[in-house]
Amino acid sequence: MTHASHHLTLADIARHLGVTFEGDAALPIRGLATLKEATSDQVAFLTNRAYLKDLATTQAAAVLLHPEHGKSCPVPKLEMENPYLGYAKLSQLFDPLPARDKAGIHPTAVVADSVTLGEGVSIQAHAVVEAGVTLGDHVVVGAGSVVGADSVIGENTRLHANVTVCHGVIIGKRVILQSGCVIGGDGFGFAHDGEGWHKIAQLGGVVLGDNVEVGSCSSIDRGALGDTLIGDDVKIDSQVQIAHNVTIGAHSALAGCVGIAGSTKVGKHCMLGGGVGLSGHLTICDGVQVTGMSLVTNSIHTPGVYSSGTGAMSNSQWRKNAVRFKQLDDIAKRLSRLEKTTRDA
Amino acid sequence: MTHASHHLTLADIARHLGVTFEGDAALPIRGLATLKEATSDQVAFLTNRAYLKDLATTQAAAVLLHPEHGKSCPVPKLEMENPYLGYAKLSQLFDPLPARDKAGIHPTAVVADSVTLGEGVSIQAHAVVEAGVTLGDHVVVGAGSVVGADSVIGENTRLHANVTVCHGVIIGKRVILQSGCVIGGDGFGFAHDGEGWHKIAQLGGVVLGDNVEVGSCSSIDRGALGDTLIGDDVKIDSQVQIAHNVTIGAHSALAGCVGIAGSTKVGKHCMLGGGVGLSGHLTICDGVQVTGMSLVTNSIHTPGVYSSGTGAMSNSQWRKNAVRFKQLDDIAKRLSRLEKTTRDA
Amino acid sequence: MTHASHHLTLADIARHLGVTFEGDAALPIRGLATLKEATSDQVAFLTNRAYLKDLATTQAAAVLLHPEHGKSCPVPKLEMENPYLGYAKLSQLFDPLPARDKAGIHPTAVVADSVTLGEGVSIQAHAVVEAGVTLGDHVVVGAGSVVGADSVIGENTRLHANVTVCHGVIIGKRVILQSGCVIGGDGFGFAHDGEGWHKIAQLGGVVLGDNVEVGSCSSIDRGALGDTLIGDDVKIDSQVQIAHNVTIGAHSALAGCVGIAGSTKVGKHCMLGGGVGLSGHLTICDGVQVTGMSLVTNSIHTPGVYSSGTGAMSNSQWRKNAVRFKQLDDIAKRLSRLEKTTRDA
């Protein structure tokens, strides 16, 4: 379901991308689609060679592509060095949400007296904004979301529905929090007295930089004393757990189901694949990529790609091999002995 | 805690299952229990041979079982080829929720003017139903749940409390959404410009078929252009992440903590164990089972059972073996050399 | 961000810990900090030898430490055998939340007529408390939280914002439920009729003991017939999934992203690392520790530390070794043959 936006022409599209084109400037453009599915009022894009085969027969109004493919394009072309970036920029034009945001406070929202509100703030039905909160200009607080006492939210940040920002959390500008995420729940800290646990009150906060995104149902816990720190332009997918006092450097991206234990520091421009786990108190340098479902138990000081685990195979094949894993040390020792025997023979 | 339902007799139970029985038709039945724990007003069931030992001494009012065990049953018996299915059918009779649903809109619910409501809809306290939504007959929107603009929800579907259905989502009939789940949060899509990330607006939706269930705190993200598609009768447990543009075929079941990356297609009648991860852009054919916590990085074209990883062992044993994993390639090469040496000798 | 509490002196601190000290009893103490960052109105602590180097130069008002380090302390000292426990106790004094709780029912909260409320209960904005619920003295129900019908919540328990407690759930005293968690969603139970799934109504409940904590966005599912049972003083981190009819023994701790499948029994004083998965129907004895991201598929009857998996390495190194994993059984057999050949030679 691609939403229509009624007042855009092909010329608007090209202007938005900063490119020139040959074709009907007034052609109405109502959305984006793949080369194969695009109709005559949609713009398509070629960002992956696997779809080059669909270019010749596309019905799109125009195609966004790299200049190297321009000659093969049967319809008006929008050439860019990075057509995927162009696609990202165009996609924003067709997002139906901003047009729906109404500035103002819904009559059912509960907003404390001591709150500081910027211009054009939208606080939707049943949202709660507690005492001492500051909301920057054009902040959107979605239906059912709660912003805890003394939190500060920068301009143009959007909380979708049913988001929870706990007390004393600092959130930058242009941040997007998807539904169900929780920013600033207590970190997991307890002291043991020999018999049971005593809770350590989590007195730190969470600081999210500008342009951060947090996926649905993800958790970023508040620090024990200092803050949990998420740098600018960090992108966090759904179902992610970030424990107390973790630091994530700018521009890093964390895919779904990642879990990072307490006090670990992840550098800038890192990419963690889905389901990756990082132990606590590690340092991961800038520019590290970790492939899906890997477990990292030691610090990493060299940029590069890291992995663990093994891919799936048929269960019958796996059973035979997995049982041998428990014999690995024995196998290695027997091999060494045999090498020695053979050498000595 | 098994909830009592006051007006059922043993005859009602048998009629509901479509079976005959010998015994007191008027016996009141107030619930279900295991063979061991059932009292004289509860029906028990035998669905697993491990519990056959409890049959002779059961105090149950009647027992649901396979005909092969009928002779050993000391109380009235309800014989079915698939007693587990019978148990499922009976369990519905004792669910206390439907009796509590009051049709109508709670005075604190916020329902937009442009909403289309079927008959007998129940919209509970503090729920929010945004503009353009259609709710089919007997839909229940639980307390604090939010249904985003233009979404369509089919008849007899239930949203438990604090569910979020984002805008433009299509949900079938008799769907059950557990508390805290989010249907239609943005997919995780960004283009990189060499320095940082540009968000790709997620313009697709989510389509859930009929009879789907989604567990608590699970996320099903909306598509980038096309829709994320969940087939009829797909059952999804708690804490599951389904990324944008994933397709799940009818009757598949996903256990807790499963994560599926973008654009992967899972066939019909598949079963994914707890914590399984599927990489993006894969195709998994019909009838595939993947055991718990396996990582699937390649498409699967043959039905069957697949696995990866290794089971836990004592940490001391594990340390010795895990360190050898890093030497595996070396071990394999040394073995080949030794075989050659020995053969040549 | 460490919150200030204005009326505490050094003498108050020492009295709270039950220790004596030499120094200015009237010194105002406004918070806690690390040895390195503490200022003259903050108490620091030494609980880890790695930070002993910061002791000599600390600017703290006083330091909480073990008597063995007392001599090296340049400022007033608060000596305890377990300074980490002392830190936990002090941290509670600086938690800003309790001072903010206002007893009473917010005008926007929806509380059914048939609810039983203890003294000093705080029900915050847009919270919903359904029919038949009992809330003990000083229970806090955070903004947007929902307590389902007939649930019982013990005294001094706190539900943060946007928590969901489903119907018929029993929660002990002094329990803390972080935002977004769901207690009592349906367990994942379906019977197959050869073509598709039939839901098994989940008729059991959940029972949480006293002093339990559940992290943000975690799920504890209700039992199929009997209850899911979480013992006293069990600590559960964020993003955890506990399936139906699981039992967790007292004082056990589960780190983030743990998943436990149905009917598994975990003993007392167990510790499960982040991302650990336990298969269903297992028995794990008291005193078991499982390291991060391990998969446990068999019952464990001996206390100790258990592990599975392998840690991350460079992707190039990993590729070579992981491919050999699929040859492991073959490698083992070839080694055995070679040993036989060599022995026979």
Side-chain angles (χ1 to χ4, degrees):
Chain A
M1 200 189 60
T2 301
H3 297 274
S5 177
H6 12 237
H7 300 300
L8 291 170
T9 63
L10 187 50
D12 294 330
I13 297 290
R15 196 177 315 118
H16 187 72
L17 295 174
V19 303
T20 58
F21 72 101
E22 293 177 18
D24 178 2
L27 195 67
I29 302 296
R30 297 203 161 80
L32 301 178
T34 61
L35 284 168
K36 199 167 180 179
E37 293 175 351
T39 52
S40 61
D41 56 0
Q42 292 178 310
V43 171
F45 49 89
L46 175 61
T47 60
N48 183 331
R49 276 166 185 281
Y51 298 102
L52 187 52
K53 60 179 170 30
D54 297 329
L55 182 58
T57 55
T58 188
Q59 302 293 312
V63 177
L64 182 62
L65 41 52
H66 189 274
E68 72 173 309
H69 299 301
K71 282 186 191 159
S72 320
C73 184
V75 296
K77 60 203 186 216
L78 302 160
E79 294 181 341
M80 289 182 75
E81 285 299 313
N82 185 347
Y84 197 58
L85 178 60
Y87 160 45
K89 289 179 176 175
L90 282 191
S91 71
Q92 294 297 332
L93 299 179
F94 297 97
D95 183 352
L97 284 187
R100 281 189 178 128
D101 297 325
K102 288 179 189 159
I105 300 176
H106 192 277
T108 62
V110 173
V111 180
D113 291 341
S114 56
V115 161
T116 303
L117 301 181
E119 285 183 19
V121 163
S122 171
I123 304 181
Q124 302 183 354
H126 294 314
V128 176
V129 181
E130 296 186 350
V133 166
T134 299
L135 301 183
D137 294 348
H138 306 291
V139 164
V140 177
V141 180
S145 287
V146 176
V147 182
D150 298 331
S151 285
V152 176
I153 299 186
E155 61 191 49
N156 293 300
T157 283
R158 176 188 294 272
L159 280 62
H160 282 265
N162 283 334
V163 164
T164 308
V165 172
C166 301
H167 67 278
V169 167
I170 311 293
I171 295 182
K173 302 170 183 174
R174 298 174 300 280
V175 168
I176 299 173
L177 303 182
Q178 300 291 335
S179 294
C181 73
V182 176
I183 314 299
D186 280 351
F188 195 63
F190 302 91
H192 205 277
D193 69 2
E195 298 189 351
W197 300 105
H198 293 252
K199 181 175 175 72
I200 296 171
Q202 302 291 300
L203 304 174
V206 178
V207 178
L208 303 189
D210 296 335
N211 298 307
V212 168
E213 180 155 348
V214 181
S216 65
C217 302
S218 286
S219 303
I220 304 179
D221 294 345
R222 64 191 316 113
L225 286 173
D227 297 327
T228 302
L229 299 170
I230 310 296
D232 290 343
D233 197 34
V234 169
K235 306 301 185 185
I236 298 173
D237 199 353
S238 305
Q239 301 283 339
V240 169
Q241 150 70 350
I242 298 183
H244 51 182
N245 299 101
V246 163
T247 297
I248 311 279
H251 311 295
S252 287
L254 284 60
C257 306
V258 161
I260 305 183
S263 300
T264 281
K265 291 185 197 314
V266 175
K268 297 175 183 174
H269 296 287
C270 290
M271 295 178 71
L272 305 184
V276 162
L278 307 186
S279 299
H281 298 275
L282 305 184
T283 299
I284 309 297
C285 70
D286 296 351
V288 166
Q289 292 182 36
V290 184
T291 62
M293 288 180 75
S294 296
L295 167 64
V296 180
T297 56
N298 292 298
S299 291
I300 297 178
H301 303 296
T302 309
V305 183
Y306 294 82
S307 302
S308 74
T310 54
M313 58 198 91
S314 76
N315 183 264
S316 56
Q317 190 189 3
W318 172 80
R319 281 173 179 276
K320 287 189 304 186
N321 292 309
V323 71
R324 297 298 189 181
F325 181 80
K326 299 196 178 185
Q327 306 165 359
L328 250 188
D329 184 51
D330 183 56
I331 287 171
K333 285 177 178 159
R334 285 159 54 202
L335 178 60
S336 292
R337 273 199 299 271
L338 205 57
E339 285 173 328
K340 187 163 182 304
T341 309
T342 312
R343 211 179 307 124
D344 294 348
Chain B
M1 202 189 59
T2 299
H3 297 274
S5 179
H6 13 236
H7 300 300
L8 290 171
T9 63
L10 186 51
D12 294 329
I13 298 290
R15 195 178 314 118
H16 187 72
L17 295 175
V19 302
T20 57
F21 72 102
E22 293 176 19
D24 177 2
L27 196 66
I29 301 297
R30 298 203 160 81
L32 301 178
T34 61
L35 284 169
K36 200 168 180 178
E37 294 175 350
T39 53
S40 62
D41 58 357
Q42 291 177 311
V43 170
F45 48 89
L46 174 61
T47 60
N48 182 331
R49 276 166 185 279
Y51 298 102
L52 186 52
K53 61 179 170 32
D54 297 329
L55 183 57
T57 56
T58 190
Q59 302 293 314
V63 176
L64 184 61
L65 39 53
H66 189 275
E68 71 173 310
H69 300 301
K71 282 185 192 161
S72 321
C73 185
V75 297
K77 57 201 190 219
L78 303 160
E79 293 181 343
M80 289 183 75
E81 284 300 313
N82 185 348
Y84 197 58
L85 178 61
Y87 160 45
K89 289 179 175 174
L90 282 192
S91 70
Q92 295 296 332
L93 298 179
F94 296 97
D95 183 354
L97 285 186
R100 282 193 176 123
D101 297 325
K102 289 179 189 158
I105 300 176
H106 192 277
T108 63
V110 173
V111 180
D113 291 341
S114 55
V115 161
T116 305
L117 302 181
E119 285 182 20
V121 162
S122 171
I123 304 180
Q124 303 183 352
H126 294 314
V128 176
V129 181
E130 296 186 351
V133 166
T134 299
L135 303 182
D137 295 348
H138 306 291
V139 163
V140 177
V141 180
S145 287
V146 176
V147 182
D150 298 332
S151 286
V152 176
I153 299 185
E155 62 192 47
N156 293 299
T157 283
R158 175 188 294 272
L159 282 60
H160 283 265
N162 284 334
V163 165
T164 308
V165 172
C166 300
H167 66 277
V169 167
I170 312 292
I171 295 181
K173 301 169 184 174
R174 298 173 300 280
V175 168
I176 300 174
L177 304 182
Q178 300 291 336
S179 293
C181 74
V182 176
I183 314 298
D186 280 351
F188 196 62
F190 303 91
H192 205 277
D193 69 2
E195 297 190 349
W197 301 105
H198 292 251
K199 181 176 176 72
I200 296 170
Q202 302 293 300
L203 304 174
V206 178
V207 178
L208 303 189
D210 296 336
N211 300 306
V212 168
E213 180 156 349
V214 181
S216 64
C217 302
S218 285
S219 302
I220 303 179
D221 294 344
R222 65 190 317 114
L225 286 173
D227 296 328
T228 303
L229 299 169
I230 310 297
D232 291 343
D233 197 34
V234 169
K235 306 301 184 183
I236 298 172
D237 199 352
S238 305
Q239 302 283 339
V240 169
Q241 150 69 352
I242 297 183
H244 49 184
N245 299 102
V246 164
T247 298
I248 311 279
H251 312 296
S252 288
L254 285 59
C257 307
V258 161
I260 304 183
S263 299
T264 281
K265 292 186 198 312
V266 175
K268 296 175 184 174
H269 297 288
C270 289
M271 295 180 71
L272 305 183
V276 162
L278 307 186
S279 298
H281 297 274
L282 304 184
T283 299
I284 308 297
C285 70
D286 295 351
V288 166
Q289 292 181 36
V290 184
T291 62
M293 288 180 74
S294 296
L295 167 64
V296 180
T297 57
N298 292 299
S299 292
I300 296 178
H301 302 296
T302 309
V305 184
Y306 295 81
S307 303
S308 74
T310 54
M313 59 198 90
S314 76
N315 182 263
S316 55
Q317 191 189 3
W318 173 80
R319 280 173 179 277
K320 288 189 303 186
N321 292 310
V323 71
R324 299 297 189 182
F325 182 80
K326 300 196 179 185
Q327 306 165 359
L328 251 187
D329 185 51
D330 183 57
I331 287 171
K333 285 177 177 159
R334 284 159 54 201
L335 178 60
S336 293
R337 272 199 301 271
L338 206 56
E339 285 173 328
K340 186 163 186 306
T341 308
T342 311
R343 212 180 305 123
D344 294 350
Chain C
M1 202 188 58
T2 301
H3 298 275
S5 177
H6 11 236
H7 299 301
L8 290 171
T9 63
L10 186 50
D12 295 330
I13 298 290
R15 196 177 313 120
H16 187 73
L17 295 174
V19 302
T20 58
F21 73 100
E22 293 175 19
D24 179 2
L27 195 68
I29 301 298
R30 297 204 159 81
L32 301 177
T34 61
L35 284 168
K36 200 168 179 177
E37 294 176 350
T39 53
S40 61
D41 57 358
Q42 291 177 312
V43 170
F45 48 89
L46 174 60
T47 60
N48 181 331
R49 275 163 186 281
Y51 297 103
L52 187 53
K53 61 177 170 30
D54 296 330
L55 182 58
T57 56
T58 189
Q59 302 293 311
V63 176
L64 183 61
L65 39 54
H66 190 274
E68 70 173 311
H69 299 302
K71 284 186 190 157
S72 321
C73 185
V75 297
K77 58 204 189 216
L78 302 160
E79 293 181 343
M80 289 182 75
E81 285 299 312
N82 185 347
Y84 196 58
L85 178 59
Y87 159 46
K89 289 179 176 175
L90 282 191
S91 71
Q92 295 297 331
L93 298 179
F94 297 97
D95 184 352
L97 284 186
R100 280 190 178 126
D101 297 326
K102 290 180 188 155
I105 300 176
H106 192 278
T108 62
V110 174
V111 180
D113 291 340
S114 56
V115 161
T116 304
L117 300 181
E119 285 184 19
V121 162
S122 172
I123 303 180
Q124 302 183 353
H126 294 315
V128 176
V129 181
E130 295 186 352
V133 166
T134 299
L135 302 183
D137 295 348
H138 306 291
V139 163
V140 177
V141 180
S145 287
V146 176
V147 182
D150 297 331
S151 286
V152 176
I153 300 185
E155 59 190 49
N156 293 299
T157 283
R158 176 188 294 274
L159 280 61
H160 282 265
N162 283 333
V163 164
T164 308
V165 172
C166 301
H167 67 278
V169 167
I170 311 291
I171 294 181
K173 302 170 183 175
R174 298 174 301 280
V175 168
I176 300 175
L177 303 182
Q178 300 292 335
S179 294
C181 72
V182 176
I183 313 299
D186 280 351
F188 195 64
F190 303 91
H192 205 277
D193 69 1
E195 297 189 350
W197 300 105
H198 293 252
K199 181 176 176 72
I200 296 171
Q202 301 292 299
L203 304 174
V206 178
V207 178
L208 303 189
D210 296 335
N211 299 307
V212 167
E213 180 156 347
V214 181
S216 64
C217 302
S218 286
S219 304
I220 303 179
D221 294 346
R222 66 189 317 112
L225 286 173
D227 297 327
T228 302
L229 299 170
I230 310 297
D232 291 343
D233 196 34
V234 169
K235 306 302 184 184
I236 298 173
D237 200 353
S238 305
Q239 302 283 339
V240 169
Q241 152 69 351
I242 297 183
H244 51 183
N245 300 102
V246 164
T247 298
I248 312 280
H251 312 296
S252 287
L254 284 59
C257 307
V258 160
I260 305 183
S263 299
T264 281
K265 292 185 198 313
V266 175
K268 297 175 184 175
H269 297 287
C270 289
M271 295 179 70
L272 305 183
V276 162
L278 307 187
S279 298
H281 298 274
L282 305 184
T283 299
I284 309 297
C285 70
D286 296 351
V288 166
Q289 292 181 35
V290 184
T291 63
M293 290 179 73
S294 297
L295 168 64
V296 180
T297 56
N298 292 299
S299 291
I300 296 178
H301 303 297
T302 309
V305 184
Y306 294 81
S307 302
S308 75
T310 54
M313 58 197 93
S314 76
N315 183 263
S316 55
Q317 191 189 1
W318 173 80
R319 281 174 179 275
K320 288 189 303 187
N321 291 308
V323 72
R324 297 299 190 181
F325 182 80
K326 301 196 179 185
Q327 305 166 0
L328 251 188
D329 184 51
D330 183 56
I331 286 171
K333 286 177 176 158
R334 285 159 55 202
L335 178 59
S336 293
R337 274 199 299 272
L338 206 55
E339 285 173 327
K340 187 164 185 303
T341 309
T342 311
R343 212 180 305 125
D344 295 350

